[in-house]
Amino acid sequence: MVQLPADARAVVIGGGVAGCSVAYHLARLGWQDVVLVERHDLTEGTTWHSAGFVGQLRSTVTQTRMIMYSAGLYPELRDLTGLDPGWHGVGGLRLATTPERHEELVRQAGAAETYGLDLELLTGEQTKERLPLLETGDVVSSLWLPGDGWLDPAMLAKALAEGARKLGVRIFTGAAVTGLETADGAITGVRFGDHVIRTGTVVNAAGAASGVIGRMAGVELPIVPIKHQYVVTESTGVSVGMPTVRDPDNIVYFREEGGGILVGGYVRTPQVWDEPNPLATPRHLFEPDMPKFEESWTSAVHRLPHLRERGEIVKVVHGPEAFTPDGEFLLGETSVRGLWVAAGFCVHGLAAAGGVGKVTAEWIVEGAPEYDMFAMDVARFGPHARSTSWARAKVLDAYSAYYDIVYPGQERTAVRPLRRSPAYARHAELGAEFGEKAGWERVNWYAPTGDDAPRPKGWAGRVWSPAVREECLATRDSAGLFDQTSFAKFDLRGFERLQALAGANLDRPVGTVVYTQLLNARGGIEADVTITRLGDDRFRLVTGTAFGGHDAALLRRHGVDVTDVTSAYACYCLWGPDAHDILSSLTSDDLSFGYMQSREISVGYVPVRAQRVTFVGEYGWELYTPVEFGLTLWDLLAGTGVRPGGYKAIDSMRLEKGYRVWGADITPETTPFEARLGFAVRKSVPRTESGVELACLVVDDPAEVCLGGEPVRVDGVPASRVTSGGYGHRVDRSIAYAYLPKGVTRVEVGVNGGWVGADVVAGPVYDPQNLRVRSRGQL
């Protein structure tokens, strides 16, 4: 046994690129006494067999920025450490061989402009000029990214480790973790046989073995080891300057390796590594499975014709990779205080390792990372993610479709249905089209009665139904009934700590509903919620379906007592000018209480908490009842003949009203003042001025509909990106939002491969005086 210390400020478990990067960045931020432990030698888990691709363009702005940061860090490591990190900045090509993939490349090119990422959209002929080895007869277009490249995994890890050592990190190999010590829900130590390192901070960066490490502290992590394969051909004198190539339509990627070609791909029938103690042996590989690799190899031979005669395979690397249910990284603090995770990199750990270390260290040291990390936050998964069978089924589904085009709003079907509202059967009877979020089945729209609504152009018209317009207009003209049982709901105690987090003043009379943001130390928006005061020190917080785990973890970290009551209550929303008449026909209770007020009433025989709150800009209520009454309440409300509606209609109407969505329009990187939510902030909160604010854009051509991520130019100069967008059926306008310099009145938006003008308006475009929200009658 190596001589391990008795104490450490932080212990990082795992000697791959992620662990070495976290340790390096912790030390760079000034933490002394950081220890990294690895049971084998450095890199001998999953890092050593990585194919090493660094592709900067990703589906989210955060992951792209992390990889851009990494790509900038890796060349600098040579100067920082004196070691070559094995960086090959050869650039990269991403091919499109179908019109649909070309559309995707065009959207990605637009998004890249907003990231500041250098790229060029090439024709098939230009692609051939860039890399003459390629067969491009079927290539419609490609993206050329000069900042892409590849890395030698072992060299990178050693450079990061040396950088960490120079900053004082102690690294111990041959040190197998046998247990994690906890007390009162917090980490207290790491066990190695009879020896314990006492510490209050542990980072689980154990790759495919991260699940085993997590279970040592009672934490179930949805990480599934998947078998992933690539091959290397004999040397044929391929230039070391050959760019990396991704051909997603044919599920293959390749680059130069030792004068030959390294070829990898994502198989349609992936296999889980069913091993209770993964990575117990160093440099673990599986037997080659060439039949499974046939589709990718055939695609490679087609794309690189010289492989037909000079493509002998001289090496097969078939190793484990750690995947997550949604294909995103798993980062952040777990339910055990002080136990962090940096794992689940879905083959892209090498590319993002620098960024992973940066954000994880910032999170630990400063309390919040620079970037919005919700899409990768371990807290994004609900309690159902503890199920290994659920995680396994979701991972297999995600891996099998990894290179598929994913259209905005497209739904996956694996492990469904899981969580259902009491009224689920009624929705199905009405022909509902369901979507899924956080395991909940939610109505996107119901069966339409006609088909006369204009279909938007491009991608916005792919996942679409004329029913959305019908539901919006019914809500405007009479009333709509919406099932929002999936709302995350928490009962809270601890006023002073809750008030310290909230931007608005919560010291209001019992029965008051407060709209507020929960803010981080920089003033960024960590959550967007309503909080109802139920008693002197009793509050109920309601947040978005997907944000429950994140928001609960945030509250608990700040000492608020949190009880999750999401599954205890059904919630139906009755909104529209006829809402008062509908509800009053079912109750004798007084409904005259005002906007942003909450009262207990009876609807028929059903006990209900009615809250005068709206997310669509129409008069009405959120109606909460214990789940055992949920079906009865739905039947009472639906029995009045009110038109039911789904979440797509809600999204259209909230856009018209300028209601923000957390994670899109507002994030931890934006403040309430930038988001024009200063009205929801008490005077004692410091006001920040950045010169930009969230602006409402009305697009000139109503058929050109934004979906989020589109580039925005001012006077022909890149200025911003669309945070969210859609079609407003009550006003017949295409609406989008973007952060812009104050005073801008006119912009251009990149939509569907072209540029369309848009006016910047004060907003909201529907009922700007809020008369409909407060008035019972139709205006």
Side-chain angles (χ1 to χ4, degrees), residues 32-199:
Q32 302 298 311
D33 200 17
V34 175
V35 169
L36 183 147
V37 295
E38 164 59 48
R39 62 175 159 181
H40 306 305
D41 284 331
L42 296 181
T43 81
E44 290 193 341
T46 54
T47 291
W48 74 276
H49 61 70
S50 170
F53 282 68
V54 177
Q56 298 176 83
L57 184 59
R58 298 294 172 187
S59 58
T60 67
V61 61
T62 295
Q63 196 173 116
T64 299
R65 289 164 71 183
M66 288 170 65
I67 297 178
M68 289 174 68
Y69 169 84
S70 299
L73 172 67
Y74 298 155
E76 295 173 6
L77 280 174
R78 188 196 312 266
D79 297 331
L80 292 170
T81 66
L83 295 178
D84 181 1
W87 169 245
H88 300 260
V90 294
L93 289 166
R94 185 185 298 256
L95 310 183
T97 61
T98 64
E100 293 79 11
R101 186 70 68 176
H102 171 71
E103 290 178 4
E104 181 185 55
L105 293 193
V106 169
R107 279 185 59 84
Q108 290 175 329
E113 177 175 304
T114 72
Y115 305 156
L117 183 60
D118 187 20
L119 61 71
E120 184 180 357
L121 185 64
L122 307 179
T123 65
E125 292 78 10
Q126 291 170 324
T127 305
K128 180 75 170 179
E129 293 171 4
R130 180 73 62 179
L131 184 55
L133 283 175
L134 292 181
E135 166 56 53
T136 59
D138 59 342
V139 173
V140 178
S141 62
S142 71
L143 284 182
W144 164 245
L145 295 107
D148 281 7
W150 61 276
L151 286 153
D152 181 288
M155 294 173 73
L156 172 62
K158 290 175 181 177
L160 285 165
E162 181 60 24
R165 284 193 184 99
K166 285 182 177 295
L167 294 175
V169 174
R170 289 178 289 172
I171 297 176
F172 299 90
T173 58
V177 175
T178 58
L180 297 179
E181 306 275 310
T182 64
D184 298 323
I187 200 77
T188 60
V190 181
R191 181 172 293 280
F192 305 82
D194 295 331
H195 183 82
V196 174
I197 301 179
R198 292 184 296 272
T199 183

Side-chain angles (χ1 to χ4, degrees), residues 442-481:
R442 313 192 317 164
V443 178
N444 281 338
W445 58 73
Y446 291 91
T449 61
D451 193 17
D452 57 351
R455 183 184 293 267
K457 297 178 182 177
W459 278 27
R462 287 184 173 271
V463 183
W464 172 90
S465 170
V468 176
R469 181 176 181 83
E470 297 173 9
E471 293 164 14
C472 291
L473 299 186
T475 305
R476 179 194 69 184
D477 298 336
S478 53
L481 178 62

Side-chain angles (χ1 to χ4, degrees), residues 264-320:
Y266 291 86
V267 300
R268 298 294 186 186
T269 55
Q271 287 182 293
V272 172
W273 183 24
D274 287 316
E275 167 57 50
N277 188 19
L279 306 185
T281 58
R283 294 181 170 257
H284 186 92
L285 290 178
F286 311 112
E287 289 296 319
D289 189 348
M290 297 314 294
K292 269 197 177 297
F293 199 68
E294 183 176 358
E295 183 177 1
S296 294
W297 177 249
T298 300
S299 296
V301 171
H302 165 70
R303 191 64 59 212
L304 294 169
H306 78 276
L307 293 181
R308 293 191 182 98
E309 296 182 3
R310 301 185 62 196
E312 181 182 352
I313 295 172
V314 296
K315 182 168 72 173
V316 178
V317 178
H318 192 194

Side-chain angles (χ1 to χ4, degrees), residues 463-718:
V463 183
W464 172 90
S465 170
V468 176
R469 181 176 181 83
E470 297 173 9
E471 293 164 14
C472 291
L473 299 186
T475 305
R476 179 194 69 184
D477 298 336
S478 53
L481 178 62
F482 302 86
D483 186 346
Q484 297 204 149
T485 298
S486 64
F487 274 166
K489 317 166 195 78
F490 305 114
D491 282 355
L492 310 177
R493 292 182 184 271
F495 170 75
E496 292 184 359
R497 290 174 177 176
L498 180 60
Q499 180 64 85
L501 267 177
N505 176 26
L506 302 181
D507 193 9
R508 309 287 184 87
V510 172
T512 303
V513 182
V514 177
Y515 168 62
T516 187
Q517 293 75 45
L518 305 183
L519 306 178
N520 59 35
R522 299 192 301 264
I525 301 171
E526 289 287 347
D528 188 60
V529 301
T530 58
I531 298 177
T532 302
R533 191 164 202 169
L534 304 180
D536 287 345
D537 193 28
R538 293 175 52 236
F539 298 85
R540 179 163 298 157
L541 180 147
V542 177
T543 187
T545 301
F547 310 139
H550 169 275
D551 292 3
L554 171 70
L555 290 159
R556 290 183 176 120
R557 279 199 302 272
H558 286 81
V560 180
D561 181 42
V562 180
T563 301
D564 189 343
V565 296
T566 300
S567 299
Y569 296 96
C571 174
Y572 307 129
C573 299
L574 179 64
W575 291 317
D578 293 347
H580 187 275
D581 292 342
I582 291 170
L583 192 58
S584 64
S585 72
L586 300 172
T587 182
S588 58
D589 289 322
D590 181 12
L591 298 177
S592 63
F593 55 92
Y595 184 55
M596 302 302 283
Q597 295 296 308
S598 175
R599 297 291 185 272
E600 291 185 353
I601 65 172
S602 295
V603 179
Y605 303 125
V606 176
V608 169
R609 174 168 289 278
Q611 303 206 152
R612 276 277 283 112
V613 177
T614 180
F615 197 53
V616 301
E618 302 287 356
Y619 182 96
W621 297 269
E622 295 174 354
L623 303 171
Y624 295 86
T625 191
V627 289
E628 66 266 29
F629 298 102
L631 183 56
T632 302
L633 179 59
W634 178 269
D635 285 345
L636 283 168
L637 295 166
T640 65
V642 64
R643 173 68 182 257
Y647 275 84
K648 297 299 183 183
I650 291 174
D651 191 56
S652 170
M653 291 185 281
R654 73 92 190 164
L655 280 164
E656 295 170 314
K657 284 295 296 178
Y659 295 151
R660 281 52 167 148
V661 168
W662 190 83
D665 305 309
I666 50 180
T667 74
E669 299 179 45
T670 58
T671 71
F673 305 103
E674 293 167 333
R676 297 178 65 190
L677 295 173
F679 66 87
V681 178
R682 64 189 188 276
K683 292 182 179 179
S684 60
V685 174
R687 185 178 183 89
T688 57
E689 296 289 347
S690 65
V692 301
E693 62 182 11
L694 189 62
C696 178
L697 315 181
V698 177
V699 180
D700 293 348
D701 183 351
E704 298 282 7
V705 176
C706 298
L707 294 168
E710 291 85 356
V712 179
R713 293 177 177 175
V714 177
D715 296 327
V717 179

Side-chain angles (χ1 to χ4, degrees), residues 326-375:
D326 57 5
E328 293 285 358
F329 299 172
L330 207 62
L331 305 176
E333 191 174 26
T334 69
S335 57
V336 173
R337 293 192 309 279
L339 176 59
W340 298 74
V341 62
F345 297 120
C346 308
V347 185
H348 300 300
L350 212 71
V356 165
K358 166 187 161 65
V359 299
T360 304
E362 290 170 345
W363 221 334
I364 294 170
V365 175
E366 300 171 358
E370 178 184 356
Y371 309 145
D372 170 21
M373 298 305 301
F374 172 72

